[in-house]
Each structure stands twice: as C-alpha cells, then as structure tokens.
Amino acid sequence: MAIRQPKGKTVRRLGLNIYGNPKYDKLLSRKPNGPGKERGLKKRGKTSVYGEQLKEKQKFRFAYGISERQFRNLFKKANRLHGVTSDNMISLMEQRLDNTIYRMGFAVSRAQARQMVSHAYFFINGKPVNIPSMCVSVNDVITTKEKKGIQNLIRHNLTVNQGSKGSWLTVDTEALSATVNALPLAGDIQPVGHIQSVVEYYSR
C-alpha cells in the first residue's frame, strides 16, 4: 500500500531526503525549516524520546512506502527470526520486490518501482508478479516483460538512476534481468534512520 503524503512536506518535516531524489536536497537547502515553521519563531521544546522514536519510524515507513499495519507486521516477523531484530528489519525491507527493482536500477524511485511491479512489468523465475511487498529469495531470477515501451523506460532509468545499487544482486543490463545472489544484510545498507529507535518504539 503506497503512502499518500506530500513528499516535499514529508522531507521538510523529517529534515532528511529519505527519497534520494536530488530535487529534495535542493528543497531542504531552500527551506530547512519544517512546514508551517517561519523563520525567527521560537522553536518548540526538546522532542520527547517517544517523539524521536516516532520520527525514526516514519523515516523508514515513508522511504520504503510501507503502511503502518505492514510495518508493524514486519517488526513482528523480524522479532521472531534469529539474530538482531533491527538488522532483520532492514533485511526484510530490502527484500521487498519493489525495493529490489529499485536496487537493480530499473526504477528511479521506490514509488516508481512499486507502480511498475503493480502493472506486472516483471517475472520471477518465469512467472508474472504484481505484488510489490512480496520478498525475493536467494537464486531468484527477475526478468523484464518483453514490451518495447517497458524496456525503453528501464534503459532510460539505468542511465539516470542515482540510487545505491544492491551488492547482493547481479544485474544484466543487456538482458534487463537480475539474479538474487544472497539476502541483503544490514551492513550492506546505508539506513535512512536509526533502526534501533524503531525497535524500541514497537517494543514499548
């Protein structure tokens, strides 16, 4: 489920370009204050611990386009897995198909990748998929629908994409396909926020 929020206001409120688009860096340089905050006005008191945890949670939710229900369920799943819950959460977010398409460089944003997946632009192991939240597995082969318009869009995105690529993926830019060599690890990712604060938020 997509997060329907004005992205410019979200970026200003969080004080961080969580979407990776250069235009939001320019926006933050022009308008460093949060929406509705005028220059010269007295700042509010120090944010509570709860408020800081909530802010960190929103960074991840909005960056990955995950609804509150989905995110809470993701935390529960990560908490059941072996290992560190915070690391598991990052790995699970990165395993999402829409994020994988973004990390392949086939989309310029996760929002675009989510739309492409919803329109069934891709196949996994030869089978069409249209669920952005599904998780990829090791040895999965992701291929592109053989339609000229779709392939032209992806080739264009590959030339302009500035997002970080997934080191756990092998991408064939000629065949427009990719293989999942391993599951993403927390150490492979530059997180958009402090994930431990998110764990503490849900552990209250």
Side-chain angles (χ1 to χ4, degrees), residues 160-177:
V160 301
N161 201 320
Q162 298 181 6
S164 61
K165 304 298 191 296
S167 60
W168 57 94
L169 301 165
T170 297
V171 179
D172 186 333
T173 56
E174 290 300 319
L176 298 183
S177 64

Side-chain angles (χ1 to χ4, degrees), residues 27-95:
L27 175 64
L28 287 173
S29 65
R30 287 190 294 107
K31 298 181 177 181
N33 299 311
K37 295 180 181 178
E38 297 180 12
R39 292 181 181 178
L41 289 180
K42 186 177 179 181
K43 293 183 178 180
R44 294 181 179 179
K46 185 178 179 181
T47 306
S48 66
V49 172
Y50 171 80
E52 288 294 341
Q53 291 172 348
L54 177 62
K55 184 177 181 180
E56 295 304 309
K57 175 178 75 87
Q58 301 296 58
K59 287 179 183 179
F60 285 96
R61 272 196 60 221
F62 293 147
Y64 285 88
I66 304 174
S67 71
E68 175 59 34
R69 179 179 59 81
Q70 288 176 322
F71 203 51
R72 183 177 291 276
N73 289 338
L74 185 144
F75 163 75
K76 291 177 180 178
K77 182 177 180 179
N79 200 34
R80 291 194 299 267
L81 295 173
H82 293 294
V84 181
T85 300
S86 57
D87 290 350
N88 292 339
M89 287 190 73
I90 291 178
S91 180
L92 288 171
M93 284 186 276
E94 288 289 321
Q95 289 172 43

Side-chain angles (χ1 to χ4, degrees), residues 106-165:
F106 286 15
V108 295
S109 67
R110 291 186 181 91
Q112 185 187 45
R114 187 160 48 251
Q115 185 178 47
M116 293 167 77
V117 172
S118 296
H119 291 164
Y121 282 15
F122 303 101
F123 299 83
I124 292 184
N125 303 325
K127 297 180 180 180
V129 289
N130 63 355
I131 304 175
S133 62
M134 73 174 291
C135 289
V136 298
S137 302
V138 177
N139 296 324
D140 275 351
V141 177
I142 303 169
T143 52
T144 305
K145 194 172 186 178
E146 293 186 4
K147 193 171 182 179
K148 190 173 181 179
I150 294 172
Q151 294 182 344
N152 286 343
L153 171 62
I154 292 173
R155 293 189 193 282
H156 170 74
N157 289 343
L158 284 167
T159 64
V160 301
N161 201 320
Q162 298 181 6
S164 61
K165 304 298 191 296

Side-chain angles (χ1 to χ4, degrees), residues 9-27:
K9 288 186 177 181
T10 299
V11 166
R12 289 179 60 201
R13 184 168 63 250
L14 297 176
L16 179 70
N17 181 4
I18 58 173
Y19 301 110
N21 191 317
K23 72 178 183 180
Y24 296 121
D25 289 325
K26 295 177 182 178
L27 175 64

